[in-house]
Amino acid sequence: MDGERSSGTARLLTGVAWAVLLVGLWLWGRELTDVPGGSTPATGDVAAVGRPYPVELPPAHDPLPEARPHRVDIPAIGVQAPVVKRGLDQDKAIDPPSYDQPGVVGWYAGGTKPGAKGTALFVGHVDTQSKPAVFYHLSALKPGEKVRVTRADGSLAEFTVEDVQVFQRDGFDPLKAYGEREAGRAELRLITCGGTFDRATRSYSSNVVVSAYLTGKGP
């Protein structure tokens, strides 16, 4: 998708179009795993995902004016990565960064800009050619940890992780995985593959989805 979208079309799709996008995200998760030599073991601390983690989360910050993401930093797992805008492929799935860019995060540019009201979507590879990629340790994130997005206007949007979930392919609910969790907030989803890698089907058993919400801003 080339060029900037208007503020109207930049917001999350609604109705049937939003449902199509959610299905596309699920398809993206399936296609993303079809890589040569994918890892066999579970990625990150998948076994710990969903366990109670006692931490007091900060209040939500008011949404910020729209601005394109430029970079994402996740100190807890050592991620410092450029963000590139991505569209949908011919199957209506998000077109992820190419496999020769394992350290790059893709942002769905047809949706919300991170920091603005709604749910922004970031996608990244877990591994390529049996080597760890940008979101290899995504499942190790814990509630309360920070995700910082540097934006094109020079501002910083700081998100706080509130949940890390692994969604199995069977009975997958894309709206629950990727949809808005609380109306009126600026939210962020970080999405990659997880679980175990099946060499026969060349796919992972699950998708890891980190949910975060805006809690601060920088100049």
Side-chain angles (χ1 to χ4, degrees):
M1 295 184 177
D2 296 326
E4 284 289 319
R5 290 176 176 266
S6 66
S7 59
T9 58
R11 296 186 178 91
L12 284 176
L13 304 178
T14 57
V16 175
W18 175 232
V20 169
L21 171 60
L22 292 176
V23 173
L25 275 165
W26 178 51
L27 291 172
W28 172 87
R30 294 174 67 91
E31 292 298 322
L32 180 67
T33 64
D34 188 17
V35 298
S39 298
T40 299
T43 59
D45 188 14
V46 171
V49 173
R51 292 177 184 169
Y53 187 78
V55 61
E56 184 175 350
L57 299 177
H61 192 284
D62 290 339
L64 306 177
E66 292 188 344
R68 286 176 51 187
H70 174 70
R71 183 177 181 84
V72 59
D73 295 285
I74 314 176
I77 57 173
V79 170
Q80 297 179 320
V83 176
V84 297
K85 64 179 182 178
R86 307 301 293 174
L88 300 179
D89 63 20
Q90 61 183 4
D91 297 321
K92 304 302 181 183
I94 287 184
D95 187 21
S98 63
Y99 290 120
D100 62 359
Q101 294 181 304
V104 173
V105 172
W107 159 62
Y108 176 59
T112 298
K113 296 180 176 65
K117 180 181 176 181
T119 304
L121 305 172
F122 279 5
V123 295
H125 293 292
V126 66
D127 62 11
T128 59
Q129 296 288 352
S130 297
K131 297 179 181 179
V134 64
F135 279 169
Y136 186 78
H137 293 295
L138 192 67
S139 62
L141 280 175
K142 298 179 177 64
E145 293 178 333
K146 304 299 182 182
V147 179
R148 299 183 177 100
V149 180
T150 303
R151 310 193 310 160
D153 63 356
S155 64
L156 177 74
E158 183 174 82
F159 296 83
T160 297
V161 174
E162 63 179 338
D163 196 9
V164 183
Q165 294 180 284
V166 173
F167 291 89
Q168 300 294 325
R169 296 281 165 73
D170 295 339
F172 184 82
D173 183 346
L175 183 61
K176 183 178 180 180
Y178 309 130
E180 188 177 56
R181 299 189 66 163
E182 186 174 319
R185 295 195 308 185
E187 299 183 351
L188 180 66
R189 297 291 179 276
L190 309 173
I191 307 159
T192 194
C193 300
T196 56
F197 185 78
D198 186 330
R199 293 190 180 277
T201 61
R202 306 190 67 80
S203 64
Y204 282 97
S205 61
S206 312
N207 285 334
V208 175
V209 180
V210 172
S211 300
Y213 64 102
L214 186 70
T215 55
K217 66 175 183 177

